[in-house]
Structure formats: C-alpha cells, structure tokens
C-alpha cells in the first residue's frame, strides 16, 4: 500500500535560515524525513540506474559562485529523452510516461487538507500528488512531483502544480531543498506533467540576487543579474495568489511558444540592493525564478552540461571530468548565453508580460 503524506498549512516551516558558515544543520521536517528515508531505501535496493555517492563538487572562482559537480553516470545512464517537437505537444500514451513506472519507485502520495466551508457542506477538500524517485538522480533526494498521473497532463504548468512546488519547499526545513520545472523545448525529457525536487547543500546566488519590481500588485520582478529572467517571492500565507500569478506568466509563455525553466528555492525577500547579513540569511519565503529561453528541439545535447532548470540557477552537473576540472565561469556563461533569448527579444517580452499582468 502506498504511503500517504497528508499535510496542511500548519506544517509549513516559516523560520528557515541559511547558515552563515559554521551553523548546525537544521532539524529535518517530517517532509524531509519522509523523502530522504524513502529515497535512500530505494537507492539501497538498487531501483536506480546507478548508485549515487557523494558527488565531487567545486565552487568556480568568479562573482557568480557557480556550484560545479561531476556526475558522469547521469550523462551515460539516464533514459533517452522523448523527442519533443513543440512546446504545446500533446500527451502521447504510447511514449514513456509516469503511468508506466515500477510502482516501487513511488515514495508516497502527497495530499493537502484544506479546511473551509464548501457549497455542498464539505468541511475539507483533498488533492493528490505522486512523489517518486528520479531513477537517474542528479543529487541526493532527487524526486519527481507528478500531479494526478492518471490525468495524463502534458508538460505544461498549472496553477495547482506551481502551488505544489512552492508548498514542497515550504514543507522542508532545509534551505538546500530545491524544486524546478523544464518546459517542452527547455530540456524536459518526458511529456507528462512533473516537477523535480532535490537537495543541494550549497548556497546559490539566486537565493539573494537583487531584483527590480515590475508589477507591484502581482509581485512580479526582473532579475538584475545574469542570466536574464523574472522572479516571484512568497511566504506561506500568499502561496495560492502567487501561484496564480506565476501561471499567468507561464501560460503567456506557452501561448507565445516561448520555452522556459523555473527554479524554486528558499530565498531572501526581494530587494533592489545587496542585502545586509541578517536579511541575506533570512529564508522565510520562497523565490521562484522564471527564465524564458530559446527552444531546443530534437537531439541537441551539450557535451559538458545541458542548460535547464538547475544550470540557470547556478548548479552545474558536468558529464565528464575534463570539463568539470577545466571549465571557467566565462566558459559556463558562454554556453548559457547560447540558450537565452537575444537581449532585444527579452526586453520586448518583458514589456508584453508587464502589460499583460497589469491588465489582468
């Protein structure tokens, strides 16, 4: 019988802090314990395509502080990606999807209980997400969040799936727990709606990088550093509202055939300045970065690393030792630059999105 993980808003961790260097690791939440125990048990049972030991890791010299990791096996052993031809490609039951996995890969079913009055006298509402191991992990605890697999939804974000991603980060007491999404055309390998979750015990600049406010009523910001993108921020009481605003952006990107990646992480409140030490370490809320980018269809594959959700956030899983050891920050930026929208195109998109969100 599948393990059930039932939670409500009282389970959110509202006082996470990033250590300033020598602090103790946070006490794991029930969410962390459930994922980590289930993931480790399946790793020990050999359900993964390869055994993931502690990854060789280095922080690249340079202002961006890229976290480079050597993960050769993921490059060699992961399942061949589905051929993607369109950002709006329909779900195809004949292709690999998460209804075809080994049931033993499922860690638990995740259900939120929402208290409140309903029209027909119901006292609460339930919704379900299946959490399963990623059998080709890029880091410890790498799992997938799949919204109602039997609904066979294509890889297009819904307000519900965004809310699940944000709330998963809030359920973790570990500021190193991250969630992300690759759209079709942005290195999504399976056209069945899912988000990635994993632990990375290194600070990323996206957690505190300065931003510029674009649409105050929607909490819509532009990142002020490379790579060019947008940002939302929420604490536990505003998750539904922010998830809807993010979905308005991703819906716009899908309709305009613009590929995109999302990265969700504990982060400091938005600011247009470099923050003081106290604000910099604050992790009460979740930062959600949205990067529009050029579409990649067919079999394009970088030899060093692909440019998807974690790479844009500054986490770089390298496929071979030479690139891992020799690549510089400039090399990384040159690769990423090839996948970003041209500057003029990005600014046009920014103007359209700003008007779009203002008019809604």
């Amino acid at each position: 019988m599948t393990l059930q993980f039932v939670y409500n808003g009282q389970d959110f961790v509202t006082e996470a802090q990033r250590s300033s260097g020598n602090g103790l690791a946070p006490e794991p939440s029930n969410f962390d314990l459930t994922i980590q125990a289930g993931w480790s048990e399946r790793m020990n049972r050999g359900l993964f395509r390869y055994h993931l030991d502690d990854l060789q890791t280095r922080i690249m010299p340079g202002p961006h502080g890229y976290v480079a990791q050597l993960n050769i096996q993921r490059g060699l052993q992961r399942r061949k990606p589905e051929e993607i031809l369109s950002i709006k490609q329909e779900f195809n039951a004949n292709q690999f999807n998460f209804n075809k996995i080994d049931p033993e890969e499922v860690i638990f079913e995740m259900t939120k209980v929402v208290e409140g009055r309903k029209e027909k006298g119901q006292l609460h509402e339930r919704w379900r997400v299946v959490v399963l191991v990623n059998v080709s992990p890029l880091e410890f605890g790498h799992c997938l969040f799949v919204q109602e697999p039997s609904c066979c939804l294509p890889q297009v974000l819904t307000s519900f799936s965004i809310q699940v991603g944000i709330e998963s980060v809030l359920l973790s007491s570990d500021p190193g727990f991250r969630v992300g999404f690759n759209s079709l055309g942005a290195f999504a390998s399976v056209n069945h709606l899912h988000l990635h979750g994993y632990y990375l015990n290194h600070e990323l600049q996206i957690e505190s990088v300065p931003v510029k406010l674009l649409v105050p009523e929607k909490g819509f910001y532009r990142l002020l550093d490379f790579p060019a993108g947008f940002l939302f921020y929420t604490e536990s009481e505003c998750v539904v509202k922010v998830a809807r605003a993010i979905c308005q952006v991703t819906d716009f990107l899908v309709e305009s055939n613009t590929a995109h990646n999302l990265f969700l992480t504990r982060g400091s409140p938005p600011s247009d300045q470099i923050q003081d030490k106290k604000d910099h370490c604050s992790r009460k809320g979740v930062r959600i970065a949205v990067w529009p980018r050029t579409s990649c269809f067919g079999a394009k594959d970088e030899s060093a690393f692909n440019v998807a959700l974690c790479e844009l956030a500054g986490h770089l899983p390298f496929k071979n030792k030479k690139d891992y050891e020799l690549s510089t920050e400039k090399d990384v930026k040159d690769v990423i630059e090839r996948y970003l929208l041209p500057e003029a195109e990005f600014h046009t998109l920014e103007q359209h999105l700003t008007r779009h969100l203002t008019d809604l």
Side-chain angles (χ1 to χ4, degrees):
M1 185 175 179
T2 303
L3 178 66
Q4 302 295 311
F5 183 88
V6 181
Y7 73 97
N8 60 36
Q10 295 181 344
D11 294 306
F12 295 149
V13 179
T14 58
E15 291 294 334
Q17 287 280 328
R18 175 156 293 286
S19 169
S20 58
N22 54 7
L24 297 175
E27 189 73 22
S29 66
N30 288 336
F31 177 80
D32 294 317
L33 291 171
T34 305
I35 281 189
Q36 293 174 14
W39 191 90
S40 297
E41 189 267 342
R42 285 158 179 79
M43 175 65 73
N44 293 333
R45 283 168 53 196
L47 292 181
F48 291 74
R49 288 175 174 253
Y50 49 88
H51 190 86
L52 187 75
D53 297 310
D54 288 341
L55 295 171
Q56 192 173 341
T57 303
R58 73 181 181 97
I59 309 302
M60 285 189 174
H64 290 279
Y66 289 131
V67 179
Q69 290 188 315
L70 182 60
N71 192 340
I72 296 174
Q73 291 300 313
R74 179 169 165 83
L76 296 174
Q77 302 294 337
R78 66 179 301 194
R79 181 185 294 109
K80 183 180 178 180
E82 179 180 343
E83 185 176 8
I84 304 299
L85 303 174
S86 167
I87 293 169
K88 302 177 184 179
Q89 191 162 311
E90 294 183 0
F91 178 89
N92 183 348
N94 295 322
Q95 296 281 356
F96 171 80
N97 61 77
F98 300 116
N99 294 312
K100 297 183 177 184
I101 64 165
D102 180 345
E104 294 297 310
E105 295 174 19
V106 176
I107 304 176
F108 57 82
E109 291 182 355
M110 182 173 170
T111 306
K112 184 179 182 184
V113 177
V114 183
E115 301 296 337
R117 295 181 180 179
K118 299 297 174 184
E119 291 182 358
K120 297 183 180 180
Q122 296 175 327
L123 295 178
H124 55 267
E125 175 187 353
R126 289 179 179 267
W127 44 253
R128 183 183 78 119
V129 172
V130 173
V131 181
L132 54 134
V133 296
N134 187 325
V135 295
S136 301
L138 63 84
E139 245 290 9
F140 174 71
H142 191 177
C143 58
L144 303 174
F145 297 87
V146 184
Q147 175 183 335
E148 294 289 1
S150 61
C151 290
C152 300
L153 300 173
Q155 184 71 348
V156 175
L157 282 167
T158 64
S159 179
F160 172 83
S161 60
I162 296 169
Q163 181 180 340
V164 169
I166 297 172
E167 293 188 341
S168 297
V169 176
L170 288 170
L171 285 167
S172 174
S173 62
D174 190 334
F177 183 69
R178 330 290 180 149
V179 171
F181 171 85
N182 299 322
S183 80
L184 301 179
F187 281 108
S189 60
V190 179
N191 187 17
H192 191 182
L193 181 55
H194 65 286
L195 289 84
H196 296 260
Y198 70 97
Y199 293 86
L200 177 71
N201 190 26
H202 295 275
E203 183 173 358
L204 299 173
Q205 285 206 351
I206 192 65
E207 298 174 33
S208 58
V209 67
V211 294
K212 176 184 177 182
L213 183 60
L214 298 176
V215 184
E217 58 270 26
K218 297 288 186 178
F220 181 55
Y221 300 82
R222 174 167 56 83
L223 297 169
L224 291 179
D225 200 358
F226 178 89
F230 304 107
L231 188 92
F232 290 86
Y233 174 84
T234 185
E235 297 181 7
S236 57
E237 63 274 10
C238 298
V239 173
V240 173
K241 177 182 177 182
V242 172
R244 288 173 180 161
I246 296 168
C247 196
Q248 289 167 348
V249 169
T250 56
D251 282 350
F252 185 94
L253 295 175
V254 170
E255 288 306 308
S256 63
N257 285 305
T258 304
H260 48 284
N261 302 96
L262 271 71
F263 192 81
L264 298 80
T265 182
R266 288 278 182 174
S268 57
S271 172
D272 60 359
Q273 301 176 26
I274 301 295
Q275 297 167 331
D276 62 31
K277 187 174 182 180
K278 179 180 178 181
D279 287 340
H280 176 83
C281 292
S282 173
R283 295 295 183 268
K284 292 183 179 180
V286 181
R287 283 185 165 215
I288 305 96
V290 183
W291 287 286
R293 39 88 57 79
T294 59
S295 298
C296 300
F297 299 121
K300 294 179 181 177
D301 199 29
E302 292 287 350
S303 62
F305 61 89
N306 292 332
V307 178
L309 64 94
C310 64
E311 291 82 2
L312 288 168
H315 172 210
L316 306 166
F318 279 86
K319 302 174 186 177
N320 65 78
K321 191 175 182 68
K322 179 180 177 182
D323 286 321
Y324 167 77
E325 292 179 340
L326 300 180
S327 292
T328 65
E329 184 176 278
K330 181 181 183 304
D331 296 329
V332 170
K333 291 182 70 174
D334 287 345
V335 173
I336 292 175
E337 191 80 52
R338 295 200 293 268
Y339 292 88
L340 299 178
L341 296 179
E343 185 175 352
E345 187 175 340
F346 176 82
H347 285 300
T348 299
L349 176 63
E350 177 186 325
Q351 293 170 351
H352 289 165
L353 275 171
T354 300
R355 285 198 296 267
H356 177 67
L357 292 178
T358 302
D359 292 342
L360 289 174

